[in-house]
Amino acid sequence: MTHHGNASVPDLRLIAWEVTRSCNLACKHCRAEAHLDPYPGELTTGEAKNLIDTFPQTGSPIIIFTGGEPLLRPDLFDLVRHAKSKDLRCVMAPNGTLITPDNAREMAESGIERVSISIDGPDSASHDAFRGTPGAFDQAMQGIDYLKAAGIPFQINTTVTRNNMGQFKDIFQLAQRLGAVAWHIFLLVPTGRAADLKEEIITAAEYESVLNWFYDFRKTTDMQLKATCAPHYHRILRQRAKEEGVEVTFENFGLDAVSRGCLGGIGFCFISHTGQVQPCGYLDLDCGQVKQTPFPEIWANSPQFQNLRTPQAYTGKCGVCEYHKVCGGCRARAQTMRGDYLAEEPLCSYTPQRLREEPVSQG
């Protein structure tokens, strides 16, 4: 693959940084096999700060402090303050169960601008079953109260599974009642523990119907809604808008109009607790190690990232699809279910135009 020098390196918009893999929960769908003690190989405070120093060279990315459970990292707020001193926007993804009045205040003081809390059911019975921990729902609700008291905007993230598809409206209404600034739905990526969730994984047809439902539902609310790990939404949005005669502009569709489905290696990347750079947290692909190679060099030069930026590198129907530029398919599902991160997305029911055009028969 030809490398066109750094002129073609896209700006990094979002870094999900797993500052620790330690966690106090053991959720069914998690890619991390959680436990409380620090994992070996975690970046030291010095290594983490040096890494932060390189972030501005890749653009002006938003840093998502994630885990594991980020609040279990003792120097977490030092890292946030350091990132803030570099003018980087910082957000955090705790599970909600460890938020206290004290650390909520510290989030606000250190410069966390938004917190995401995962809620996977509208009540404790459904959420706790998914999270594998009785009381997780009530603790997350309590955590949200502390965030509100500290004046921190929060969003609700929900992982879509076959079990909770029917409760979507209820989960949204809960998010609205709580005062969330946004609701993001995540389409389950079957890796780690989730690989065993065969009965939870929705089919391509269910996927299509959830995203069509989502397209219609967005019109009923002013809340910011986003479908994540659902690149096909960018195709569906365009198909539906075309049927409705609506232009796909920022005014009409917000960020969805100017963004792309899968941003792994294109506008987004994941850095693991040991410093391994990956296209996303669900795609365990070693694209470089920040302890050995400066992070901006990995972002610019990783062969995997360069492949992800090259439409010709994709195979199967994703390679010929007219929606490739806006969708891209989920690369982690391609890896998990097809054994190749550049293969076609397994959970897509769409047939690209080029594959539908039957050759005209002679005569």
Side-chain angles (χ1 to χ4, degrees):
M1 187 186 148
T2 53
H3 177 42
H4 305 291
N6 283 2
S8 65
V9 179
D11 275 357
L12 184 49
R13 305 210 320 237
L14 203 57
I15 299 172
W17 182 15
E18 180 186 61
V19 290
T20 180
R21 210 166 215 206
S22 311
C23 190
N24 59 318
L25 297 183
C27 303
K28 279 187 184 160
H29 61 309
C30 191
R31 59 187 159 68
E33 304 286 332
H35 63 89
L36 276 164
D37 304 314
Y39 281 66
E42 258 175 33
L43 300 185
T44 63
T45 303
E47 287 170 331
K49 286 186 172 171
N50 290 342
L51 174 60
I52 290 167
D53 289 340
T54 68
F55 288 162
Q57 296 164 39
T58 61
S60 180
I62 296 169
I63 315 303
I64 307 169
F65 288 83
T66 182
E69 170 50 63
L71 290 170
L72 288 173
R73 185 166 170 128
D75 61 0
L76 174 70
F77 293 108
D78 291 339
L79 301 185
V80 174
R81 280 187 282 267
H82 192 69
K84 206 69 197 161
S85 74
K86 304 281 165 199
D87 280 333
L88 294 164
R89 184 167 176 217
C90 301
V91 298
M92 192 182 289
N95 61 44
T97 63
L98 299 182
I99 299 174
T100 63
D102 286 348
N103 62 28
R105 270 197 306 275
E106 199 162 8
M107 283 177 206
E109 283 157 18
S110 64
I112 291 294
E113 294 183 32
R114 187 188 283 195
V115 169
S116 66
I117 301 287
S118 294
I119 300 289
D120 299 302
D123 50 39
S124 53
S126 51
H127 176 82
D128 293 358
F130 195 70
R131 296 269 141 196
T133 307
F137 182 82
D138 292 337
Q139 288 169 336
M141 292 301 126
Q142 181 69 76
I144 286 171
D145 280 343
Y146 295 145
L147 290 174
K148 283 163 61 168
I152 299 171
F154 66 95
Q155 72 180 48
I156 299 294
N157 292 353
T158 300
T159 297
V160 182
T161 65
R162 186 165 274 169
N163 277 346
N164 68 5
M165 272 163 61
Q167 299 174 303
F168 257 46
K169 251 195 177 113
D170 299 336
I171 298 172
F172 168 77
Q173 278 158 358
L174 172 67
Q176 210 171 23
R177 271 204 313 279
L178 291 169
V181 290
W183 183 44
H184 290 197
I185 65 166
F186 285 72
L187 278 289
L188 185 71
V189 180
T191 56
R193 289 213 175 105
D196 306 327
L197 289 183
K198 292 284 183 278
E199 71 290 349
E200 291 276 12
I201 297 168
I202 63 178
T203 64
E206 287 170 319
Y207 206 132
E208 199 79 3
S209 74
V210 165
L211 294 178
N212 272 290
W213 173 84
F214 192 72
Y215 177 87
D216 289 318
F217 188 69
R218 315 176 355 270
K219 300 173 190 166
T220 66
T221 173
D222 291 334
M223 197 193 293
Q224 192 195 359
L225 302 190
K226 189 173 188 309
T228 301
C229 302
H232 342 1
Y233 183 63
H234 291 256
R235 160 180 57 80
I236 288 170
L237 181 154
R238 281 160 182 82
Q239 290 172 308
R240 296 287 307 275
K242 192 177 168 183
E243 285 165 22
E244 294 171 4
V246 178
E247 260 189 292
V248 179
T249 59
F250 182 77
E251 290 68 44
N252 292 339
F253 289 100
L255 287 174
D256 282 340
V258 294
S259 184
R260 176 186 194 272
C262 177
L263 289 167
I266 295 167
F268 173 87
C269 76
F270 173 88
I271 304 173
S272 84
H273 65 295
T274 62
Q276 176 172 303
V277 181
Q278 305 173 189
C280 79
Y282 299 107
L283 181 42
D284 196 356
L285 203 59
D286 187 355
C287 301
Q289 167 53 255
V290 302
K291 290 174 185 168
Q292 278 132 31
T293 311
F295 173 69
E297 277 179 38
I298 298 172
W299 177 248
N301 304 327
S302 144
Q304 293 98 325
F305 286 175
Q306 292 190 1
N307 282 338
L308 291 167
R309 294 164 191 166
T310 307
Q312 298 79 341
Y314 292 68
T315 60
K317 66 183 186 181
C318 287
V320 298
C321 187
E322 66 274 24
Y323 290 104
H324 178 87
K325 272 197 173 64
V326 296
C327 171
C330 171
R331 299 297 102 218
R333 281 186 213 109
Q335 178 68 45
T336 306
M337 298 163 84
R338 299 249 190 270
D340 173 8
Y341 73 101
L342 294 165
E344 66 185 46
E345 151 82 64
L347 292 184
C348 174
S349 58
Y350 181 71
T351 304
Q353 220 161 339
R354 279 165 65 183
L355 300 179
R356 284 198 307 258
E357 288 162 358
E358 294 297 320
V360 181
S361 59
Q362 300 301 306

